[in-house]
C-alpha cells in the first residue's frame, strides 16, 4: 500500500526541468524516502539502478579509478552486469549515502555529463552534510523530506483535495466550522497526534483499522534512532547524545520548556552538550526552537543560540516515549492535555518545520512575558500561542497592544476551539496548523492590496 506524498509532485516537476541537477533527498530514518523514489521511477525510466551502500557495501569501490561518470558506470556494471545504463532513460539511485558520502564528489561530473539522472538519499545525510555540501556546491538540488504532515495523513485515510480546500476556505474567510466539521476534523487530528506521521505506523493503522501494534512500531523506531547514534556518532560522546534525546519529553513537561542541561545532570555544562544537540538536529530527529533576543523583524540572526527548546521531529514518537500511565490515557481517552500542553507545542513545532518555517520563541527573564512561537508575513511579525485550554494569555495581548513591539499588530492562537477573530487575535483549531504558511501568504497579499 503506497501512501501519496508531497515529494511525488516535486519529483515529477524535477524530471520535467531540462536543467535538472542531481537531487539529494534528506530526511530522518523511515520517513518514506526510498519508497517514494522507487515509486517515482516506475514508468518514467527504462532503467532504474539502485545502489544501497548499507546492504551492498561492495559498491564502495566504484570510485577507485576516479569520480568521472564513465569510471563509475563501468565499475557498477562490473559488479553487477544486469544493471543497464541507457542515456536519457536511466535513473541512478544512491541510497544510504551516510555509509559512503564520498560518492557526492561525483555529482559535479553527473551534472555536467547529463546522460543519467541521479538521486541520492540517506537516513542520516544531515550529519555528513557539511562535508557533502563543500564538494558538490552548485551541482545539486536539495529536498527535505519529513514524516507525513496532517494533509498527507488526510490523503492516506481517504480524504481528497476538496477536504483540505474546505479547511483553507474557512481560514481565509474566518467562517467558523460547523459542529459536524469540527467533530470529524478533531477526531482525525487526534488520531494523527497519537499515530504521528511515520509511514509504517500510519499504514499499519489503515490496514488494521485500529491502533493495534502502533505503539510497538513507534517504540522500535525510537530504538532504531538510538542504534543510529551508537553506529554513526563518530567522534562524539554517544552517551551524552542519547541522554539529550531521552530527556526531551521530560524537558517539555516543565512549565518553562527551555532546555536545561542541569536537568540531565547537575554537573552538565553547555559546552559538553552543544555538539550532541547539533548531531540530533542534523540527524533529523529533533527540532530546535531558539529564543529571540527581541520580538522584532528580521527573525534570522535575531536569536540567542544558548537559549532554546527541543521538540521531537514526529509527535507520534514523543507520544510513544511517555510513561505507561500517560500512554493509557492518551490512547483510550485522547487526552492530549495529560502532558501539560507539551504535545500541543510539539505538534505545532512539527507542523511549522514541515512547512519550511523556522522555530522561534520569546521569554523575558525579568518578567512573565513569554510566547510559544513566532511567524511572519513580508513586513509583519505575528506571535503564535498554543493553548491547551480556551483562555488567552496576557503575553499575547501585551505583545499586540504594547508600542514597544512595532512589528507586531496581530497574533494567532491555536486551541481546541473554533475559528474566530477578536482583539487582533486570530483563533484557529489545532488541525489548521498545517496550513498556516499558505494562510500567512494570503494574509500578506491582503496587506499589499490595502
Amino acid at each position: 500500500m503506497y501512501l501519496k506524498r508531497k515529494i511525488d509532485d516535486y519529483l515529477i516537476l524535477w524530471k520535467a526541468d531540462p536543467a535538472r541537477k542531481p537531487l539529494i533527498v534528506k530526511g530522518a530514518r523511515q520517513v518514506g524516502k526510498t519508497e517514494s523514489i522507487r515509486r517515482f521511477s516506475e514508468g518514467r525510466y527504462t532503467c532504474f539502478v539502485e545502489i544501497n551502500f548499507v546492504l551492498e557495501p561492495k559498491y564502495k569501490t566504484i570510485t577507485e579509478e576516479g569520480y568521472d561518470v564513465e569510471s563509475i558506470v563501468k565499475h557498477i556494471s562490473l559488479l553487477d552486469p544486469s544493471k543497464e545504463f541507457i542515456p536519457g532513460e536511466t535513473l541512478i539511485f544512491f541510497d544510504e549515502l551516510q555509509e559512503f558520502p564520498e560518492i557526492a564528489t561525483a555529482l559535479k561530473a553527473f551534472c555536467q555529463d547529463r546522460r543519467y539522472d541521479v538521486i541520492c538519499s540517506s537516513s542520516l545525510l544531515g550529519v555528513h552534510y557539511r562535508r557533502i555540501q563543500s564538494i558538490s556546491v552548485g551541482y545539486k538540488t536539495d529536498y527535505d523530506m519529513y514524516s507525513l504532515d496532517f494533509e498527507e495523513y488526510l490523503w492516506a485515510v481517504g480524504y481528497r483535495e476538496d477536504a483540505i480546500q474546505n479547511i483553507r476556505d474557512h481560514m481565509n474567510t474566518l467562517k467558523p466550522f460547523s459542529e459536524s466539521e469540527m467533530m470529524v476534523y478533531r477526531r482525525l487530528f487526534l488520531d494523527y497526534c497519537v499515530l504521528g506521521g511515520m509511514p509504517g505506523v500510519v499504514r499499519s493503522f489503515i490496514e488494521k483499522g485500529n491502533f493495534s501494534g502502533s505503539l510497538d512500531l513507534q517504540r522500535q523506531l525510537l530504538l532504531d534512532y538510538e542504534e543510529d547514534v551508537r553506529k554513526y556518532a563518530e567522534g562524539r560522546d554517544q552517551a551524552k547524545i542519547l541522554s539529550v534525546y531521552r530527556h526531551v519529553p521530560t524537558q517539555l513537561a516543565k512549565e518553562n520548556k527551555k532546555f536545561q542541561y542541569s536537568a540531565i545532570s547537575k554537573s552538565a555544562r553547555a559546552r559538553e552538550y552543544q555538539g550532541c544537540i547539533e548531531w540530533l538536529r542534523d540527524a533529523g530527529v529533533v527540532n530546535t526552537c531558539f529564543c529571540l533576543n527581541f520580538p522584532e523583524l528580521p527573525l534570522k540572526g535575531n536569536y540567542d543560540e544558548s537559549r532554546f527548546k527541543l521538540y521531537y521531529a514526529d509527535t507520534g514518537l514523543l507520544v510513544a516515549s511517555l510513561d505507561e500511565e500517560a500512554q493509557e490515557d492518551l490512547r483510550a481517552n485522547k487526552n492530549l492535555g495529560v502532558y501539560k500542553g507539551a504535545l500541543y507545542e510539539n505538534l505545532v513545532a512539527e507542523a511549522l518545520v514541515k512547512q519550511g518555517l523556522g522555530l522561534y520563541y520569546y521569554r523575558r527573564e525579568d518578567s512573565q512575558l513569554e510566547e510559544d512561537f513566532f511567524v511572519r508575513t513580508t513586513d509583519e511579525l505575528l506571535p503564535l500561542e498554543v493553548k491547551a485550554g480556551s483562555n488567552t494569555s496576557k503575553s499575547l495581548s501585551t505583545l499586540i497592544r504594547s508600542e514597544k513591539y512595532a512589528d507586531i499588530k496581530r497574533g494567532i492562537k491555536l486551541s481546541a476551539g473554533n475559528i474566530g477573530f477578536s482583539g487582533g487575535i486570530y483563533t484557529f483549531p489545532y488541525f489548521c496548523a498545517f496550513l498556516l504558511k499558505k494562510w500567512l501568504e494570503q494574509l500578506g497579499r491582503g496587506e499589499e492590496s490595502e
Side-chain angles (χ1 to χ4, degrees):
M1 175 187 181
Y2 181 73
L3 303 181
K4 179 185 175 184
R5 305 299 303 278
K6 291 182 177 177
I7 193 176
D8 298 345
D9 291 335
Y10 178 87
L11 290 172
I12 292 170
L13 292 174
W14 172 77
K15 189 177 190 305
D17 183 0
R20 62 186 173 277
K21 301 175 182 179
L23 177 65
I24 294 184
V25 180
K26 299 182 289 181
R29 172 194 282 273
Q30 296 295 316
V31 297
K33 301 181 299 297
T34 299
E35 184 180 30
S36 294
I37 294 166
R38 286 174 179 168
R39 177 82 171 200
F40 160 71
S41 72
E42 296 174 2
R44 293 186 174 89
Y45 294 91
T46 303
C47 305
F48 178 56
V49 178
E50 179 178 349
I51 294 173
N52 184 309
F53 290 114
V54 169
L55 300 179
E56 302 170 296
K58 64 183 180 181
Y59 285 104
K60 294 179 183 180
T61 64
I62 60 177
T63 58
E64 282 184 344
E65 292 186 16
Y67 294 92
D68 61 288
V69 175
E70 288 291 347
S71 296
I72 290 172
V73 168
K74 181 185 77 172
H75 277 274
I76 293 173
S77 300
L78 283 171
L79 291 167
D80 185 355
S82 69
K83 293 188 185 324
E84 292 187 75
F85 295 84
I86 301 176
E89 299 181 32
T90 301
L91 173 62
I92 303 173
F93 174 33
F94 294 116
D95 200 6
E96 300 294 358
L97 208 62
Q98 80 278 356
E99 284 290 328
F100 191 58
E102 289 81 1
I103 194 62
T105 305
L107 296 184
K108 178 179 180 180
F110 276 104
C111 183
Q112 294 174 332
D113 184 275
R114 306 199 58 78
R115 283 179 293 167
Y116 312 109
D117 286 349
V118 176
I119 298 179
C120 303
S121 181
S122 167
S123 298
L124 286 157
L125 189 54
V127 174
H128 301 273
Y129 196 64
R130 292 181 184 86
R131 176 182 172 190
I132 290 171
Q133 174 77 354
S134 66
I135 58 179
S136 58
V137 62
Y139 298 98
K140 61 173 180 55
T141 301
D142 298 321
Y143 183 90
D144 291 307
M145 189 170 180
Y146 306 97
S147 60
L148 282 77
D149 66 11
F150 187 52
E151 183 172 8
E152 290 172 314
Y153 177 77
L154 289 176
W155 295 341
V157 295
Y159 285 83
R160 296 185 297 273
E161 191 59 38
D162 56 350
I164 289 91
Q165 186 59 48
N166 178 51
I167 300 175
R168 287 187 65 184
D169 290 343
H170 277 282
M171 293 177 71
N172 291 334
T173 61
L174 297 179
K175 178 184 177 182
F177 293 98
S178 67
E179 279 191 38
S180 60
E181 286 174 322
M182 284 293 288
M183 180 184 69
V184 170
Y185 289 133
R186 276 174 177 166
R187 176 182 58 79
L188 289 165
F189 190 67
L190 286 170
D191 286 346
Y192 171 71
C193 295
V194 174
L195 289 167
M198 302 304 284
V201 178
V202 173
R203 186 180 294 109
S204 173
F205 172 76
I206 293 170
E207 290 174 347
K208 293 179 179 178
N210 57 54
F211 291 95
S212 174
S214 62
L215 179 57
D216 291 336
L217 289 172
Q218 290 168 323
R219 285 178 170 168
Q220 184 57 54
L221 280 168
L222 289 170
L223 292 174
D224 290 342
Y225 283 161
E226 293 194 4
E227 183 59 32
D228 283 343
V229 173
R230 297 185 182 94
K231 185 174 181 180
Y232 295 110
E234 301 170 359
R236 303 283 188 188
D237 190 325
Q238 297 175 5
K240 284 188 172 66
I241 295 176
L242 289 172
S243 186
V244 170
Y245 183 57
R246 292 167 181 167
H247 270 82
V248 171
T250 304
Q251 301 260 358
L252 286 178
K254 299 181 303 179
E255 190 67 31
N256 175 8
K257 295 176 177 59
K258 172 189 170 185
F259 194 87
Q260 295 175 327
Y261 298 102
S262 58
I264 299 175
S265 170
K266 290 182 179 180
S267 61
R269 297 292 181 269
R271 64 178 180 275
E272 301 171 349
Y273 284 88
Q274 184 175 1
C276 303
I277 291 167
E278 289 177 358
W279 194 97
L280 289 167
R281 185 180 63 223
D282 289 344
V285 297
V286 299
N287 293 321
T288 309
C289 181
F290 291 104
C291 183
L292 293 173
N293 293 318
F294 189 79
E296 64 182 357
L297 296 174
L299 293 174
K300 290 186 177 179
N302 175 28
Y303 59 85
D304 184 348
E305 291 186 347
S306 67
R307 299 169 64 197
F308 58 89
K309 297 184 286 186
L310 286 183
Y311 299 99
Y312 272 13
D314 184 89
T315 304
L317 298 186
L318 175 61
V319 169
S321 71
L322 304 183
D323 56 54
E324 295 298 332
E325 291 76 18
Q327 285 288 337
E328 184 176 350
D329 198 2
L330 275 165
R331 293 175 184 275
N333 305 314
K334 301 296 191 301
N335 179 17
L336 294 186
V338 71
Y339 218 57
K340 299 182 181 179
L343 296 177
Y344 291 109
E345 273 197 42
N346 204 97
L347 283 162
V348 174
E350 179 187 346
L352 294 177
V353 168
K354 288 178 176 179
Q355 293 170 81
L357 300 173
L359 297 183
Y360 306 95
Y361 78 104
Y362 182 66
R363 181 182 177 91
R364 278 186 58 177
E365 298 291 352
D366 60 347
S367 76
Q368 297 295 313
L369 186 65
E370 180 177 13
E371 200 52 69
D372 300 321
F373 301 103
F374 287 84
V375 292
R376 64 169 297 174
T377 62
T378 303
D379 54 10
E380 182 180 355
L381 182 64
L382 288 90
L384 171 57
E385 182 170 280
V386 183
K387 297 298 288 185
S390 58
N391 59 313
T392 301
S393 77
K394 294 179 181 178
S395 293
L396 186 55
S397 298
T398 299
L399 287 168
I400 293 171
R401 296 170 184 169
S402 175
E403 294 181 356
K404 293 180 182 178
Y405 313 106
D407 293 329
I408 298 175
K409 304 177 185 68
R410 296 172 284 189
I412 304 167
K413 183 179 75 170
L414 293 174
S415 71
N418 211 324
I419 285 178
F421 180 72
S422 177
I425 299 171
Y426 296 93
T427 302
F428 297 114
Y430 297 119
F431 58 77
C432 292
F434 76 103
L435 286 172
L436 276 175
K437 184 177 182 179
K438 292 180 179 178
W439 178 80
L440 287 166
E441 291 169 354
Q442 180 76 18
L443 187 69
R445 286 194 291 269
E447 291 170 355
E448 292 171 5
S449 64
E450 291 176 358

